[in-house]
Amino acid sequence: MDTQTVELVRKGALVVEKKYNLSYEEFAEKHLFGNYPVVIGDACAAWSAKNKFTPEFFKEHYSDREVEIAGKKYTLGEYIDWMLTGTEENPAPYPCTLQIERDYPELLNDVLPRFKYALPDRIQSKLLPKRFLSGANTLEIFFGSPGAQFPYVHYDYMSLHAYITQLYGEKEFTVIPPDQTPYVYPRPDNLWVSQVDDVWNPDLEKYPLFAKTTPIKFVVGPGETLFIPCGWWHTARSLTPTISVALDCLNDSNWKNFMSEVDVNMQQRRPKLAGAVQTYLSVVGSVLGTVEKMA
Ligand SMILES: O=C(O)CCC(=O)C(=O)O
Ligand SMILES: [Fe+2]
């Protein structure tokens, strides 16, 4: 920690540290099971996306592809021009996302090997029927312009852990710990989305308890990966034109949280099956836990 950070920690403020050469053991103890975010400075060192994913690359190869943002269609070429010329006052619409596996499978190799911090991962397990993930997007590329603000404060759907790797430009993140959920006013219909839309300028008359939150703000730059553990509220804002890759992870550390999310969905849609699904997932959790320990 630098001296400024040490000062802040002494004052009791929460901070998100940046770490290089982080061992898996330290990551697992302090962050994955410790449920605390961290910026990993070199997780994506082996990815070819690191130098390849630039605005020029996407313009050259994918200009004609269509993207849809908030119900409006653009070509990726149009969007990239806007993203490069957008300003704080007039940002490009956000987020502009590409689904790598579904629509750009030829780019999969550029975000491999999967870094050790996002392993083991149960999202692709044959024992986990995909419908339990309720359509969560688990591997996406994000484009944004200066001033582009993610539209809401949320924690990742289905309590998946998120790893956001910044490949181009700088993005500012704000995170709020899960134990402050009582002050965050989750939407009754979407418990993972907050009703408070501006963390730094909240409507305290409408949301008085939000004053008790202690949001942590920091910047993630090129080559850096932010780990956001399950249940941590977060939002983001691009400071420059940005390209990021977001991937999700599910394993023993967030399995119980995931099971609760599945239960909430099942109680709404198929309440009679909810109990059986919980039993099934708890067996799957034990089986995969054993397999992972042997690996
Ligand atoms: O990079 C961002 O804008 C935030 C993305 C995010 O939090 C998400 O897609 O869940
Ligand atoms: Fe998120």
Side-chain angles (χ1 to χ4, degrees):
M1 276 191 254
D2 58 37
T3 46
Q4 204 186 352
T5 310
V6 170
E7 238 358 81
L8 284 168
V9 170
R10 251 192 230 129
K11 282 186 192 146
L14 293 168
V15 291
V16 171
E17 282 186 82
K18 188 179 299 177
K19 298 184 180 178
Y20 290 84
N21 283 318
L22 176 61
S23 69
Y24 188 79
E25 290 65 33
E26 179 177 344
F27 174 74
E29 186 196 327
K30 296 195 179 148
H31 303 289
L32 187 64
F33 286 92
N35 198 251
Y36 202 89
V38 63
V39 175
I40 308 165
D42 48 6
C44 72
W47 286 7
S48 46
K50 206 176 157 208
N51 299 314
K52 182 169 166 182
F53 284 14
T54 60
E56 296 73 32
F57 168 77
F58 285 97
K59 253 203 105 162
E60 187 180 334
H61 297 276
Y62 297 106
S63 260
D64 296 338
R65 297 288 285 269
E66 193 172 81
V67 288
E68 188 171 327
I69 308 156
K72 280 200 183 151
K73 295 196 165 107
Y74 309 87
T75 65
L76 191 57
E78 257 177 332
Y79 185 85
I80 288 172
D81 287 341
W82 198 353
M83 141 189 171
L84 294 173
T85 53
T87 59
E88 287 287 331
E89 297 72 38
N90 185 23
Y94 189 72
C96 172
T97 58
L98 311 184
Q99 305 300 322
I100 303 183
E101 278 163 306
R102 191 191 64 196
D103 300 330
Y104 300 83
E106 68 281 10
L107 299 179
L108 263 176
N109 269 335
D110 296 321
V111 295
L112 291 174
R114 196 176 170 98
F115 34 74
K116 62 187 173 191
Y117 311 106
L119 289 171
D121 183 30
R122 299 177 179 177
I123 289 176
Q124 307 294 346
S125 168
K126 290 202 168 54
L127 295 177
L128 183 67
K130 291 296 148 277
R131 64 177 174 279
F132 291 152
L133 290 163
S134 305
N137 294 319
T138 55
L139 182 58
E140 294 177 297
I141 307 177
F142 278 72
F143 296 84
S145 82
Q149 170 78 52
F150 194 78
Y152 44 81
V153 181
H154 66 287
Y155 68 81
D156 272 26
Y157 193 45
M158 300 312 288
S159 280
L160 301 177
H161 297 309
Y163 298 73
I164 300 178
T165 298
Q166 199 51 33
L167 292 167
Y168 187 88
E170 300 198 317
K171 212 182 248 181
E172 176 191 273
F173 283 86
T174 300
V175 300
I176 298 174
D179 60 2
Q180 297 179 10
T181 297
Y183 316 140
V184 168
Y185 299 87
R187 285 190 202 166
D189 54 335
N190 272 331
L191 291 171
W192 48 283
V193 179
S194 166
Q195 298 177 60
V196 180
D197 42 38
D198 189 345
V199 185
W200 296 105
N201 199 6
D203 182 345
L204 292 180
E205 295 209 340
K206 216 165 160 189
Y207 308 114
L209 292 176
F210 197 79
K212 292 181 182 242
T213 62
T214 57
I216 316 169
K217 180 160 83 172
F218 50 91
V219 174
V220 180
E224 298 175 349
T225 300
L226 168 61
F227 167 62
I228 308 177
C230 70
W232 276 72
W233 297 90
H234 57 278
T235 192
R237 189 170 72 95
S238 289
L239 303 179
T240 66
T242 55
I243 302 177
S244 330
V245 168
L247 60 91
D248 289 328
C249 183
L250 172 62
N251 57 38
D252 191 32
S253 60
N254 54 344
W255 192 252
K256 283 212 171 69
N257 312 64
F258 169 72
M259 282 179 59
S260 309
E261 303 281 351
V262 173
D263 201 44
V264 169
N265 287 345
M266 290 299 297
Q267 296 295 351
Q268 282 168 1
R269 292 173 206 165
R270 310 285 300 272
K272 287 199 183 121
L273 285 178
V277 165
Q278 290 296 298
T279 307
Y280 174 75
L281 289 177
S282 123
V283 172
V284 169
S286 309
V287 170
L288 291 178
T290 308
V291 172
E292 288 157 7
K293 278 201 190 85
M294 290 187 318

